[in-house]
Amino acid sequence: MATITLTFAKDINKSVQVGDTIYRCTMSGTVASDPIEIGTVTAVTAKTITCNISIASTRPTTSDFIMFSKDNQANLSSIDGYYAEVEMKNDSNSAAELHAVSSEIFASSK
């Protein structure tokens, strides 16, 4: 199987790992084409991704948008047995709007 090494000027996303699938979209102005699979990641460094590609695969250009997806079987996770409750109060005398609420979780028992 043929391989291709994609080299980037800036550091790539730290989440990319061996086994992920790499895709490309061709940009036409502000419109992107449907994602086209490039191949499966076989090696990653700070600025390069090496993947296996089929001979028929079209190679990306420098103007393509590159993205990746993970194998949902290997990276499947969910919250199991833990929960949180939040109560929010407005103690002021005037009306207020809540614009955003966010949270962070991480797996600590792996």
Side-chain angles (χ1 to χ4, degrees):
M1 184 172 282
T3 63
I4 186 171
T5 300
L6 307 173
T7 303
F8 300 89
K10 297 186 178 187
D11 287 351
I12 60 171
N13 188 307
K14 294 184 186 326
S15 297
V16 177
Q17 61 189 155
V18 173
D20 292 350
T21 304
I22 301 293
Y23 297 89
R24 70 176 180 87
C25 285
T26 301
M27 300 301 294
S28 176
T30 58
V31 179
S33 68
D34 288 336
I36 300 167
E37 183 176 330
I38 295 173
T40 304
V41 176
T42 58
V44 181
T45 68
K47 295 191 187 302
T48 66
I49 300 172
T50 303
C51 353
N52 285 336
I53 61 170
S54 67
I55 301 301
S57 179
T58 307
R59 295 180 182 269
T61 66
T62 56
S63 61
D64 285 349
F65 181 78
I66 306 296
M67 63 192 108
F68 68 96
S69 70
K70 300 210 161 276
D71 177 6
N72 66 355
Q73 295 299 319
N75 293 285
L76 189 62
S77 65
S78 63
I79 297 175
D80 187 21
Y82 300 93
Y83 68 95
E85 291 182 16
V86 176
E87 182 177 327
M88 297 181 194
K89 292 183 180 180
N90 177 11
D91 292 334
S92 71
N93 293 328
S94 59
E97 292 184 25
L98 179 63
H99 292 282
V101 175
S102 64
S103 66
E104 278 187 41
I105 62 168
F106 63 94
S108 61
S109 58
K110 283 193 172 191

